[in-house]
Amino acid sequence: MADERIMVTGLGAMTPLGGDLPTSWKGLLAGASGISLIEDDWARDLPVRLAGRLPVDPGASLPRAEARKLDRGEQMALVAAREAWAQAGKPEVDPYRLAVVIGTGYGGVQSTLSQHRIVEAGNARRMSPHAIIMLMANGPAAWVAIDLGARGGARTPVSACASGAEAIAMGMEMIEHGQADVVVAGGVEAPVDNLPLAAFAQMRALSTRHDDPAAASRPFDADRDGFVLGEGVAVVVLERESFAAARGARALAVAAGCAVNCDAIDIVAADPANQARAITTALARSGVAPTDVDLVHAHATSTPAGDPREAEAIETAIGAHPAVTATKAMTGHTLGAAGAIGAAATICALRDGLIPPIRNLERLDPAVKLDVVTGTARPGVLRAAVANAFGFGGHNAALVFTAA
């Protein structure tokens, strides 16, 4: 099993740029912005009112009876998983050889907060009878597993902003170790509510460019002042190569290697040396040499401290030669979904030979010595790519994909 490649045969996504993968990918290539000012009454007194929100209602495509039982993140996971499963051709697989791994950083935070408000108002008997299953972090993975009949496991990595990438890494390892033939993996987050916004604002992690929301998130830019909170989901279908070949499935890319580690130093501050180690380990496991890496999708949240540390890690592990992109200026930082959305963008870049530009990068931070992609999408023959994701707690994840 360890000698078999792992193929990516399906992709699904919902982002602030679109309600499905093709629309989101088109927006990324165009350098579009999904960031706007929150005009809702509940945000009126918040210190930061910027966010990337879905342009469509994820529950609209679900039967009403089904949608009302689900948290917004659970709805998003179901929609994206069904899109990915359909693109993969709805493979017929032994239920005990089919698994689901969907990570999240905060679980059903909107359901938690909305139900708490009902209790605080003295209306405990008016709470939803579905409250528990709406707020539990494993809900997205569980609902997708039920939807697909996956009995090989429904797992939920909760590793802050590395959750989605860790989920894909876990899916790859399940296939590599012979535990599954097919794994549906990804990450989801629906955090746009008053408490997350206020909390991130209080730690001064968010951009405050209310006068120009589309220019607020600025990865690697010298004038960046923080990230923009966003919501989103991305799901990939991973298959053992011989299984995919036997059914004539079309591969979008090869999931070639992965690595996950932890800094174990600080709960917030990143360690570029250990980030570099994650990248180096992932490359070694994939058999891809640093010189063969043509693209890096950087985590690059647009924070003053985080971006140059990641740039240092990339240069240490790979060098300054690959093209580097970062998409959070367009989608916002989707926390537990970020690594999965980055992986989906990386796979699409390998498939199409096009690299999305980094929006709002007008004046490169002098500390960043990388070949960043700006202006318009860059065409090219891409052999191998690395997708990074790092999270509070010192969680580091690196994924390596190669062209199919």
Side-chain angles (χ1 to χ4, degrees), residues 210-281:
H210 291 93
D211 59 328
D212 192 358
S217 179
R218 313 178 68 83
F220 296 126
D221 190 81
D223 298 320
R224 66 192 181 278
D225 70 330
F227 68 81
V228 174
L229 193 65
E231 63 178 354
V233 59
V235 173
V236 305
V237 177
L238 305 171
E239 295 190 42
R240 179 165 54 86
E241 183 177 22
S242 59
F243 185 88
R247 68 182 192 87
R250 176 189 173 223
L252 307 175
V254 179
C258 61
V260 173
N261 67 26
C262 182
D263 294 342
I265 295 174
D266 189 276
I267 199 69
V268 174
D271 177 10
N274 213 37
Q275 291 179 345
R277 183 180 180 88
I279 298 169
T280 299
T281 304

Side-chain angles (χ1 to χ4, degrees), residues 117-155:
R117 291 175 192 128
I118 292 172
V119 174
E120 286 291 283
N123 298 314
R125 293 184 181 276
R126 297 183 61 184
M127 285 183 65
S128 169
H130 309 295
I132 291 297
I133 58 175
M134 292 168 72
L135 61 88
M136 62 189 194
N138 63 306
W143 280 114
V144 171
I146 291 169
D147 194 54
L148 299 179
R151 296 185 174 182
R155 301 184 180 183

Side-chain angles (χ1 to χ4, degrees), residues 276-293:
R277 183 180 180 88
I279 298 169
T280 299
T281 304
L283 287 171
R285 291 185 64 185
S286 70
V288 172
T291 52
D292 291 332
V293 176

